[in-house]
Amino acid sequence: MICELSLSVTDIHKSYTDIAVLRGVSYRFEPSRCYALCGANGSGKSTLLRICALIEKADAGDVIYSTDDKILPHDINLKRTMTLLLPNVGVFNNTVYKNVAYGLMVRKKSRSEIDSITNEALDMVGLKEKTRQNALTLSTGETARMGIARALAITPGFLFLDEPTNGIDAKNYELIKDILLKIKSYLKTTILIATHDIKIKEQICDTVLVLHEGRIADEKV
Ligand SMILES: Nc1ncnc2c1ncn2[C@@H]1O[C@H](COP(=O)(O)OP(=O)(O)OP(=O)(O)O)[C@@H](O)[C@H]1O
Ligand SMILES: [Mg+2]
């Protein structure tokens, strides 16, 4: 894991079929902090998350990751230190255990390491008794928690969450909140959450960013 990962985005532009979605987004994300990204439907939150997570390229502008002021190349090592968690996307037709262990298998961890980390992550999100269940049969709240366990297992330097509490009840919200607060304080992960959820902004995030007319229009610390 790369610790203390900073991210600077500078003058990011992105258009889809001539519609300019992002029109000059600039911001520096400091390590170990949690940011909420707010804004109207269609304002470009998910687009910005994909660009920051290096899944999609901006038309113009820079996405610069650094640690100890050393700029990191956009290579597989950097990509493996971050996770973008989308609601209900990327659930494999396999057990909950295999879904959570997948990122560790890809990273060629040993069998015993995979086993202990996966079980610990499942325990942390309260899914230990669901280990052998097919992940496609989980409830919405359980699926959200499994996604976080999967992210947690790889101890990311940067965690991107897209609407993590959509369709989540109060009990699952509290569980997710506790897990995110733990990730923030113990793993020193920088977290960026696209959300409309006022509770997330107030209870989990240090800074609230508002995306409006293609730019970060407001920042509340
Ligand atoms: N691959 C794509 N092709 C064409 N248009 C796209 C594509 N991805 C996003 N868009 C458009 O870009 C705009 C911003 O979409 P985005 O999903 O980033 O918004 P959002 O702020 O996440 O919205 P929401 O709050 O509804 O999730 C929308 O008008 C969307 O239709
Ligand atoms: Mg979105």
Side-chain angles (χ1 to χ4, degrees):
M1 180 185 83
I2 296 170
C3 292
E4 308 282 294
L5 210 51
S6 302
L7 165 63
S8 287
V9 290
T10 315
D11 210 18
I12 299 290
H13 286 72
K14 182 75 188 180
S15 298
Y16 295 109
T17 53
D18 294 337
I19 296 167
V21 177
L22 303 177
R23 292 183 254 164
V25 174
S26 295
Y27 197 76
R28 181 177 167 86
F29 298 92
E30 300 296 340
S32 313
R33 290 182 67 82
C34 184
Y35 298 86
L37 183 61
C38 306
N41 290 136
S43 58
K45 301 180 296 298
S46 299
T47 303
L48 183 59
L49 247 55
R50 290 193 300 272
I51 289 171
C52 288
L54 306 177
I55 284 164
E56 198 168 318
K57 275 200 187 324
D59 300 332
D62 293 316
V63 177
I64 296 173
Y65 280 92
S66 57
T67 182
D68 294 332
D69 285 334
K70 184 173 162 267
I71 292 178
L72 303 169
H74 290 185
D75 60 12
I76 189 78
N77 293 324
L78 176 62
K79 288 177 186 169
R80 283 185 175 169
T81 65
M82 62 181 79
T83 288
L84 168 62
L85 193 59
L86 304 165
N88 299 320
V89 174
V91 178
F92 314 127
N93 180 16
N94 212 321
T95 61
V96 171
Y97 180 94
K98 285 259 169 72
N99 268 265
V100 174
Y102 177 75
L104 297 164
M105 284 147 108
V106 168
R107 286 165 180 79
K108 306 254 185 289
K109 300 283 179 196
S110 72
R111 213 187 160 109
S112 62
E113 224 179 337
I114 292 173
D115 205 43
S116 70
I117 296 172
T118 302
N119 284 322
E120 198 184 330
L122 283 167
D123 198 22
M124 196 160 159
V125 302
L127 286 177
K128 200 121 190 233
E129 71 284 7
K130 303 275 179 186
T131 303
R132 302 284 155 216
Q133 188 171 322
N134 186 302
L136 295 174
T137 65
L138 291 176
S139 75
T140 305
E142 288 165 349
T143 305
R145 284 189 277 136
M146 185 189 76
I148 292 175
R150 195 197 264 168
L152 191 63
I154 63 154
T155 51
F158 218 115
L159 174 61
F160 300 95
L161 299 154
D162 201 349
E163 313 276 1
T165 53
N166 262 9
I168 298 296
D169 68 11
K171 186 174 151 230
N172 273 280
Y173 170 78
E174 288 301 322
L175 288 166
I176 289 172
K177 180 180 90 179
D178 289 347
I179 301 159
L180 291 178
L181 289 173
K182 272 187 206 154
I183 293 176
K184 197 171 104 176
S185 55
Y186 299 142
L187 301 184
K188 305 217 174 296
T189 298
T190 314
I191 305 173
L192 177 56
I193 309 176
T195 188
H196 296 280
D197 188 333
I198 194 138
K199 290 209 297 303
I200 286 205
K201 295 182 217 173
E202 289 175 353
Q203 298 176 351
I204 304 176
C205 297
D206 307 302
T207 303
V208 176
L209 305 173
V210 181
L211 203 48
H212 181 63
E213 295 184 345
R215 290 190 183 88
I216 290 180
D218 199 8
E219 176 186 359
K220 296 186 199 92
V221 182

